[in-house]
Each structure stands twice: as C-alpha cells, then as structure tokens.
Amino acid sequence: MTDPLPPRDGGPAGPGDATGGLARPGGGGLAAAVALTMVTGSMDAVSFLALGGVFTSVMTANLSLLGMSAGARDPALAGHAALAVTGYVLGALMSGRIVRGPEKTRLARRALGVELLALGALWALWASAGGHPGGGRRQGLLALAAVAMGGQSALVRAVAPPGLSTTYFTGILTNLLADLAATGRVRRVSAGLLGALVVGAVGGGVLLTVAPSAAPALPTGLVAAVWLGAVAASVCERPRGAGGRGPGQG
C-alpha cells in the first residue's frame, strides 16, 4: 500500500525518537510513529473510497493509475491521480522547507502543526458537506489531503532514523520478509508499523460506513495528539536557565 523509503546515510533504523523530538525518546517516539502511520492508513482509506479512487500517500500507485487512465481513456481518474500527485508534491516541498535548519525538533513541531491545520480544514469542509462531498469540493478535499500527507512524508523523512517511515512501507515489508526468511525473526517495530497502517485503514473505512461526517476525525485527532505530545515534551525539557521553570516546579 506504500512506496519504499529512499536510502539515507546513517546507521540501522531503530525505534528511538521516531519523529526527531516530536515525543520523548523510547516509547514516546515509537508511539508517535505508530499514530502517524495510522493517519496514513485512514487518509488513504478515505481518499480511495470517497475522493476519487486514488491515494494520498502512495505516489507510485497514483502514477500507475495516471498511466492506466490514459490507456483506458478515463479522464476522471486521470484528473484525480494528477491532483493527488500535485498536492503531495506541494506538501512535501512546503514541509521540507519548514524543517530545513539545525533545530530539527522545533521545526518538526512547526511542520506537524501545519499538517494539523490542513487536516482540521479538511474535516471542517468535509463535515459541511455532510460526509458526502461531490464535484469541485471533492477535488479540493483530495488536494488538501494530499498536501497533508506529502507534508508528513517530508517531515518524518527529515527527522526520523534511517529506514523508518510513516507513509510508505514496501521497503519495510520487504526487509521484514527477508529477515523472516533468513533468521526466522522479524523486527517488532516494522511489524507494529505495518499493523498500524492496516488498523488506520480499517478505522477510516468503518467511519465512512457508520459515520461519514466524522471520517476525517481519526487522522485529525491522531495528528493533534502527536502535536500536543511534542509540545508537552518541549515544555518539560526546557532548560531551567532559559527563563522557564524546570520540570516538577509549580
């Protein structure tokens, strides 16, 4: 359901602070990565089932759909695929620009805040259409969702350990299967993220069925939780000499 992560310099991937300071190292960072992966699954479910049969995070699939639509002479599918790719590119460029600089943790929080604003706007517009957007509104929502996911992809790629992603997993799945064949063991982090992708997609599909107006609530709420966790962590870790009180001081 996702694309392979491009190789990057550095050591092997580990759970660590999976979002470069978005949450505390250890379990917090992994929890943030799992939550953002669920966002990917749920947004892909919403976009595929209700926004034109395309994805918001899987650009190789959208490019394939673009080619197939040309061969099948399906201009509607071609337009949706092109719109999703364009939105993703714009989101990735914008987020990549935001996280440029030495203070990756602070910049990552800012980029995550932009994603949250995009998803919040999407939810508001979606709800105003009663959960059944059509015409130009549906295209606008698709573009907005793709911008959000492109931004998340660039954000995580900039700050996460090499080999870890929350938006594309073909490479992770391949490595997991190769490890299983070679050693009989799998990395729990990889298995957990793949599971989170499926769970997020299930959640998005269920909401579309039982409460269409609330379908974007799942990805929006998850990103909000990660962003709030990152802000709380930054407050707790603020040096006492920086004008603020240390942790534990009332």
Side-chain angles (χ1 to χ4, degrees), residues 129-194:
H132 299 284
R137 180 173 296 189
R138 181 170 65 175
Q139 294 175 348
L141 290 173
L142 174 60
L144 194 55
V147 166
M149 298 315 301
Q152 180 177 308
S153 298
L155 156 67
V156 173
R157 189 182 189 281
V159 299
L164 190 147
S165 172
T166 64
T167 52
Y168 31 87
F169 290 92
T170 299
I172 292 177
L173 176 60
T174 301
N175 290 336
L176 183 149
L177 295 174
D179 289 342
L180 179 62
T183 67
R185 302 172 62 183
V186 298
R187 291 184 178 182
R188 287 180 294 178
V189 172
S190 299
L193 292 177
L194 289 168

Side-chain angles (χ1 to χ4, degrees), residues 123 126-127 130-131 207-208 211-219:
W123 185 11
W126 179 283
L207 283 174
L208 278 173
S213 295
L218 178 58

Side-chain angles (χ1 to χ4, degrees), residues 222-236:
L222 288 169
V223 172
V226 175
W227 182 79
L228 289 172
V231 172
S234 70
V235 172
C236 292

